[in-house]
Amino acid sequence: MLQKKTSPLKILEISGDTGSTEVIARNLAKVWKSEGHEVEVYAPVKSRFDFKAINYLYKNRKNFDLIHAHLGRACMLAGQMGKALDIPTIATLHGFQKAKHYRYISNFTAVSAAVKKHFVAQGVPSENIQVIHNGFDPSIRTENSAYRIGHLDKNELGLKKIIGTVGTLTQIKNQKLLIEAMPLVIESFPETILLIAGEGELRCELQKQIKKLNLEKHVYLLGHINIENFYHQIDLYAQASIREGFCMPLLEAMACGVPVITTPCAGPEEFITNGKDGIILDEISPTVMSDKIIRLLENKELREKLGQQAYKNSERLTWERQAALYEKVIRKAIR
């Protein structure tokens, strides 16, 4: 929170994409602006030689106390420009990239201890990285009156048991494991459907897998959707990732009181307490995933217990709280 005795900050949030990291940048900006700070968001930086971004930074060099950068190419460009223009720069480490992309920056935050460990192993001093988990926007808890999810509406969903997942369709997100788990789930709960929100390079491969397993009436690839109502329409959320720096959709589902299941994929293990506010699998396996899904679907009391505790525990990770932690790091960097 902005303290009475501190002066307003002037911050540039700069991101290498228009996806999750831009969402994070805009959520931080939203909080800081409400507290009286001046914040601009620039996205996306298309490369370390993005002349449009370079020109923007040069023209506005006197307007910022600090540059806060997200993702490799934005951090590479911001680090170089920050040095040239004498503007302090902080990079937030979101995943398991190579440290060389951040060589022009010396102040870091990491979205999880797992990400910090990855960069320390590459030679980044531990004392230069502060772990600050991502947050969620409480407005996501407000259900929209419209029941449509992608191309589906409430009537099409009917009284089915609904499993949801959100993420780019890639090998690392591993949606194929969830699809592989579905036949076993359907044996116990024939009316169950899996909704996969997101787009990506594996769409065609996943469509073929769905067809091969005769799951066309049970698994739906929704593409890009407005997720503000997504979490309110599902019975449980499942994440099958091989590795995650954090995993925003898991936190958002928890914040909406949805029981969650995840593979042991690093980041989520830092904000989920297994068996209390979510379930973390012992291994990355479709059989283990289907067993846990079935266990939750057949036990309404357990679903409600996990969902209620998830809702309560997520309160410690609102963007307002996390922005206050970032502000401390920023003020230290600009002294």
Side-chain angles (χ1 to χ4, degrees):
M1 297 290 289
L2 182 63
Q3 303 298 319
K4 291 182 179 179
K5 294 183 179 180
T6 59
S7 58
L9 294 167
K10 294 185 289 184
I11 305 167
L12 172 63
E13 290 282 331
I14 185 167
S15 172
D17 73 2
T18 55
S20 60
T21 58
E22 185 190 3
V23 171
I24 291 167
R26 293 195 181 281
N27 274 300
L28 288 171
K30 179 181 176 182
V31 173
W32 285 330
K33 285 180 179 180
S34 73
E35 296 173 348
H37 300 299
E38 297 178 31
V39 190
E40 295 293 332
V41 178
Y42 186 98
V45 173
K46 297 179 180 179
S47 76
R48 58 179 290 196
F49 304 113
D50 187 330
F51 292 110
K52 184 178 179 181
I54 291 171
N55 184 54
Y56 174 84
L57 282 168
Y58 182 77
K59 287 177 63 177
N60 294 281
R61 62 190 182 279
K62 295 182 180 180
N63 296 339
F64 306 115
D65 298 318
L66 178 133
I67 302 170
H68 181 200
H70 306 261
L71 292 188
R73 55 183 175 269
C75 291
M76 180 75 81
L77 184 146
Q80 290 175 300
M81 291 297 291
K83 281 185 176 294
L85 301 174
D86 195 27
I87 303 174
T89 304
I90 291 175
T92 288
L93 308 170
H94 292 273
F96 303 94
Q97 299 88 9
K98 294 180 179 179
K100 67 179 183 180
H101 298 305
Y102 302 85
R103 61 181 177 270
Y104 298 105
I105 299 175
S106 56
N107 294 307
F108 302 93
T109 63
V111 298
S112 65
V115 170
K116 176 177 178 176
K117 182 179 179 181
H118 172 80
F119 279 87
V120 170
Q122 296 181 74
V124 179
S126 177
E127 61 271 19
N128 289 6
I129 308 175
Q130 180 170 329
V131 175
I132 302 178
H133 290 139
N134 287 328
F136 74 93
D137 183 347
S139 67
I140 201 168
R141 288 174 163 172
T142 303
E143 184 175 359
N144 191 299
S145 58
Y147 285 91
R148 182 167 292 278
I149 300 178
H151 59 278
L152 304 173
D153 60 28
K154 187 180 180 182
N155 292 328
E156 291 174 283
L157 298 176
L159 299 176
K160 296 179 174 66
K161 296 293 185 182
I162 305 173
I163 304 164
T165 193
V166 179
T168 309
L169 308 182
T170 60
Q171 294 286 353
I172 203 75
K173 296 295 184 181
N174 203 23
Q175 289 93 348
K176 64 181 181 180
L177 181 145
L178 286 174
I179 296 172
E180 191 175 346
M182 281 300 289
L184 290 173
V185 174
I186 292 167
E187 284 184 16
S188 298
F189 292 91
E191 294 299 308
T192 304
I193 62 174
L194 169 64
L195 303 181
I196 302 175
E199 198 53 84
E201 61 195 37
L202 293 187
R203 169 175 271 275
C204 290
E205 183 177 325
L206 295 179
Q207 286 176 326
K208 290 178 182 178
Q209 183 187 13
I210 292 167
K211 185 175 182 180
K212 182 179 179 180
L213 295 174
N214 297 314
L215 293 173
E216 292 95 332
K217 294 184 179 180
H218 294 277
V219 180
Y220 297 88
L221 302 180
L222 303 180
H224 291 302
I225 64 169
N226 187 333
I227 64 168
E228 66 177 10
N229 208 43
F230 182 77
Y231 302 112
H232 298 281
Q233 305 305 320
I234 60 179
D235 295 288
L236 64 90
Y237 182 94
Q239 192 74 31
S241 299
I242 295 170
R243 187 165 61 168
E244 288 280 358
F246 185 80
C247 194
M248 288 285 293
L250 264 173
L251 175 61
E252 290 172 340
M254 293 172 71
C256 292
V258 180
V260 300
I261 300 174
T262 181
T263 48
C265 54
E269 296 171 81
E270 296 178 27
F271 62 88
I272 295 174
T273 303
N274 191 24
K276 292 187 177 181
D277 56 12
I279 292 177
I280 302 173
L281 305 188
D282 296 327
E283 59 181 293
I284 299 177
S285 156
T287 303
V288 176
M289 177 65 80
S290 63
D291 286 346
K292 296 300 184 183
I293 289 174
I294 291 169
R295 180 190 172 202
L296 278 186
L297 291 180
E298 65 188 8
N299 192 332
K300 182 179 179 181
E301 183 179 347
L302 178 59
R303 291 202 309 273
E304 290 179 348
K305 178 183 176 182
L306 291 174
Q308 289 168 4
Q309 198 61 44
Y311 185 97
K312 179 181 178 181
N313 289 354
S314 65
E315 283 294 327
R316 69 187 189 277
L317 291 174
T318 63
W319 275 121
E320 185 175 4
R321 289 174 179 267
Q322 302 315 95
L325 298 177
Y326 272 106
E327 183 183 334
K328 291 179 181 179
V329 175
I330 289 170
R331 289 196 180 279
K332 183 178 179 181
I334 63 177
R335 283 177 186 168

Short mmCIF file of all heavy atoms in Angstrom, two decimals, residues 37-59:
data_model
loop_
_atom_site.label_atom_id
_atom_site.label_comp_id
_atom_site.label_asym_id
_atom_site.label_seq_id
_atom_site.Cartn_x
_atom_site.Cartn_y
_atom_site.Cartn_z
N HIS A 37 0.15 6.14 -7.83
CA HIS A 37 1.37 6.04 -8.63
C HIS A 37 1.05 6.29 -10.11
O HIS A 37 -0.09 6.14 -10.55
CB HIS A 37 2.01 4.66 -8.49
CG HIS A 37 2.39 4.31 -7.09
ND1 HIS A 37 3.29 5.03 -6.36
CD2 HIS A 37 1.98 3.29 -6.27
CE1 HIS A 37 3.44 4.48 -5.16
NE2 HIS A 37 2.64 3.43 -5.08
N GLU A 38 2.08 6.64 -10.88
CA GLU A 38 1.94 6.79 -12.32
C GLU A 38 2.54 5.55 -12.98
O GLU A 38 3.72 5.25 -12.78
CB GLU A 38 2.68 8.05 -12.80
CG GLU A 38 2.11 9.35 -12.24
CD GLU A 38 2.91 10.56 -12.70
OE1 GLU A 38 3.47 10.51 -13.82
OE2 GLU A 38 3.00 11.53 -11.94
N VAL A 39 1.74 4.84 -13.75
CA VAL A 39 2.19 3.58 -14.34
C VAL A 39 1.76 3.50 -15.80
O VAL A 39 0.60 3.78 -16.13
CB VAL A 39 1.63 2.36 -13.58
CG1 VAL A 39 2.31 1.08 -14.06
CG2 VAL A 39 1.79 2.52 -12.08
N GLU A 40 2.70 3.11 -16.66
CA GLU A 40 2.40 2.83 -18.06
C GLU A 40 2.72 1.36 -18.33
O GLU A 40 3.64 0.79 -17.73
CB GLU A 40 3.22 3.72 -18.98
CG GLU A 40 2.91 5.21 -18.87
CD GLU A 40 1.53 5.56 -19.37
OE1 GLU A 40 1.02 4.83 -20.25
OE2 GLU A 40 0.95 6.55 -18.88
N VAL A 41 1.98 0.75 -19.25
CA VAL A 41 2.23 -0.64 -19.65
C VAL A 41 2.53 -0.66 -21.14
O VAL A 41 1.75 -0.13 -21.94
CB VAL A 41 1.02 -1.55 -19.35
CG1 VAL A 41 1.31 -2.98 -19.83
CG2 VAL A 41 0.69 -1.55 -17.87
N TYR A 42 3.67 -1.26 -21.50
CA TYR A 42 4.03 -1.40 -22.91
C TYR A 42 4.14 -2.89 -23.24
O TYR A 42 4.92 -3.61 -22.63
CB TYR A 42 5.37 -0.71 -23.21
CG TYR A 42 5.72 -0.71 -24.69
CD1 TYR A 42 5.46 0.40 -25.48
CD2 TYR A 42 6.29 -1.83 -25.29
CE1 TYR A 42 5.76 0.41 -26.83
CE2 TYR A 42 6.58 -1.85 -26.65
CZ TYR A 42 6.32 -0.73 -27.42
OH TYR A 42 6.60 -0.73 -28.76
N ALA A 43 3.36 -3.34 -24.23
CA ALA A 43 3.40 -4.75 -24.66
C ALA A 43 2.79 -4.85 -26.06
O ALA A 43 1.87 -4.11 -26.39
CB ALA A 43 2.64 -5.63 -23.68
N PRO A 44 3.32 -5.77 -26.89
CA PRO A 44 4.46 -6.65 -26.58
C PRO A 44 5.76 -6.09 -27.14
O PRO A 44 5.76 -5.35 -28.12
CB PRO A 44 4.08 -7.93 -27.33
CG PRO A 44 3.40 -7.42 -28.57
CD PRO A 44 2.64 -6.18 -28.14
N VAL A 45 6.87 -6.47 -26.53
CA VAL A 45 8.18 -6.25 -27.12
C VAL A 45 8.45 -7.45 -28.03
O VAL A 45 8.45 -8.59 -27.57
CB VAL A 45 9.28 -6.15 -26.04
CG1 VAL A 45 10.66 -6.10 -26.68
CG2 VAL A 45 9.05 -4.92 -25.18
N LYS A 46 8.64 -7.20 -29.31
CA LYS A 46 8.71 -8.30 -30.27
C LYS A 46 10.09 -8.93 -30.38
O LYS A 46 10.23 -10.08 -30.81
CB LYS A 46 8.25 -7.81 -31.64
CG LYS A 46 6.78 -7.36 -31.63
CD LYS A 46 6.34 -6.85 -32.98
CE LYS A 46 4.87 -6.42 -32.93
NZ LYS A 46 4.40 -5.88 -34.23
N SER A 47 11.13 -8.17 -30.02
CA SER A 47 12.49 -8.71 -30.02
C SER A 47 13.38 -7.76 -29.23
O SER A 47 12.96 -6.65 -28.87
CB SER A 47 13.03 -8.86 -31.45
OG SER A 47 13.40 -7.59 -31.97
N ARG A 48 14.61 -8.16 -28.97
CA ARG A 48 15.55 -7.29 -28.26
C ARG A 48 15.93 -6.08 -29.12
O ARG A 48 16.50 -5.11 -28.62
CB ARG A 48 16.81 -8.06 -27.86
CG ARG A 48 17.54 -8.70 -29.02
CD ARG A 48 18.78 -9.43 -28.59
NE ARG A 48 19.83 -8.53 -28.14
CZ ARG A 48 21.10 -8.89 -28.00
NH1 ARG A 48 21.46 -10.14 -28.24
NH2 ARG A 48 22.00 -8.03 -27.61
N PHE A 49 15.60 -6.14 -30.42
CA PHE A 49 15.89 -5.03 -31.33
C PHE A 49 14.60 -4.38 -31.83
O PHE A 49 14.54 -3.85 -32.94
CB PHE A 49 16.71 -5.52 -32.53
CG PHE A 49 17.99 -6.20 -32.15
CD1 PHE A 49 18.16 -7.55 -32.38
CD2 PHE A 49 19.02 -5.49 -31.54
CE1 PHE A 49 19.34 -8.19 -32.03
CE2 PHE A 49 20.20 -6.12 -31.19
CZ PHE A 49 20.37 -7.47 -31.42
N ASP A 50 13.56 -4.42 -31.02
CA ASP A 50 12.27 -3.83 -31.37
C ASP A 50 12.42 -2.31 -31.37
O ASP A 50 12.41 -1.66 -30.32
CB ASP A 50 11.21 -4.27 -30.35
CG ASP A 50 9.80 -3.84 -30.73
OD1 ASP A 50 9.66 -2.79 -31.38
OD2 ASP A 50 8.85 -4.54 -30.35
N PHE A 51 12.57 -1.72 -32.57
CA PHE A 51 12.86 -0.29 -32.67
C PHE A 51 11.71 0.58 -32.19
O PHE A 51 11.92 1.68 -31.68
CB PHE A 51 13.24 0.07 -34.11
CG PHE A 51 14.55 -0.53 -34.54
CD1 PHE A 51 14.59 -1.56 -35.47
CD2 PHE A 51 15.75 -0.09 -33.99
CE1 PHE A 51 15.79 -2.13 -35.85
CE2 PHE A 51 16.96 -0.66 -34.36
CZ PHE A 51 16.98 -1.67 -35.30
N LYS A 52 10.49 0.08 -32.32
CA LYS A 52 9.34 0.83 -31.81
C LYS A 52 9.43 0.94 -30.29
O LYS A 52 9.20 2.02 -29.72
CB LYS A 52 8.04 0.14 -32.22
CG LYS A 52 6.79 0.90 -31.82
CD LYS A 52 5.53 0.17 -32.31
CE LYS A 52 4.28 0.93 -31.87
NZ LYS A 52 3.04 0.23 -32.32
N ALA A 53 9.79 -0.16 -29.63
CA ALA A 53 9.93 -0.15 -28.18
C ALA A 53 11.12 0.70 -27.75
O ALA A 53 11.05 1.45 -26.76
CB ALA A 53 10.09 -1.58 -27.66
N ILE A 54 12.22 0.60 -28.50
CA ILE A 54 13.42 1.40 -28.19
C ILE A 54 13.10 2.89 -28.29
O ILE A 54 13.46 3.68 -27.41
CB ILE A 54 14.57 1.03 -29.14
CG1 ILE A 54 15.07 -0.39 -28.83
CG2 ILE A 54 15.72 2.03 -29.03
CD1 ILE A 54 16.05 -0.94 -29.85
N ASN A 55 12.39 3.26 -29.35
CA ASN A 55 12.02 4.66 -29.54
C ASN A 55 11.10 5.14 -28.42
O ASN A 55 11.24 6.27 -27.91
CB ASN A 55 11.33 4.83 -30.89
CG ASN A 55 11.02 6.28 -31.20
OD1 ASN A 55 11.90 7.15 -31.17
ND2 ASN A 55 9.76 6.55 -31.52
N TYR A 56 10.16 4.27 -28.01
CA TYR A 56 9.24 4.62 -26.92
C TYR A 56 10.01 4.88 -25.63
O TYR A 56 9.77 5.86 -24.93
CB TYR A 56 8.24 3.49 -26.72
CG TYR A 56 7.32 3.69 -25.53
CD1 TYR A 56 6.17 4.45 -25.63
CD2 TYR A 56 7.63 3.12 -24.29
CE1 TYR A 56 5.33 4.65 -24.54
CE2 TYR A 56 6.80 3.31 -23.19
CZ TYR A 56 5.66 4.07 -23.32
OH TYR A 56 4.85 4.27 -22.23
N LEU A 57 10.96 4.00 -25.32
CA LEU A 57 11.75 4.16 -24.09
C LEU A 57 12.59 5.44 -24.14
O LEU A 57 12.68 6.17 -23.14
CB LEU A 57 12.65 2.95 -23.89
CG LEU A 57 11.98 1.70 -23.33
CD1 LEU A 57 12.90 0.49 -23.46
CD2 LEU A 57 11.61 1.90 -21.88
N TYR A 58 13.18 5.71 -25.29
CA TYR A 58 14.03 6.90 -25.40
C TYR A 58 13.21 8.18 -25.26
O TYR A 58 13.58 9.10 -24.52
CB TYR A 58 14.77 6.90 -26.73
CG TYR A 58 15.70 8.08 -26.88
CD1 TYR A 58 16.93 8.11 -26.22
CD2 TYR A 58 15.33 9.19 -27.65
CE1 TYR A 58 17.77 9.20 -26.33
CE2 TYR A 58 16.17 10.29 -27.77
CZ TYR A 58 17.39 10.29 -27.10
OH TYR A 58 18.22 11.38 -27.20
N LYS A 59 12.07 8.24 -25.95
CA LYS A 59 11.24 9.45 -25.91
C LYS A 59 10.67 9.70 -24.52
O LYS A 59 10.45 10.86 -24.13
CB LYS A 59 10.09 9.31 -26.92
CG LYS A 59 10.52 9.46 -28.37
CD LYS A 59 9.35 9.24 -29.32
CE LYS A 59 8.28 10.29 -29.12
NZ LYS A 59 7.17 10.13 -30.11
#
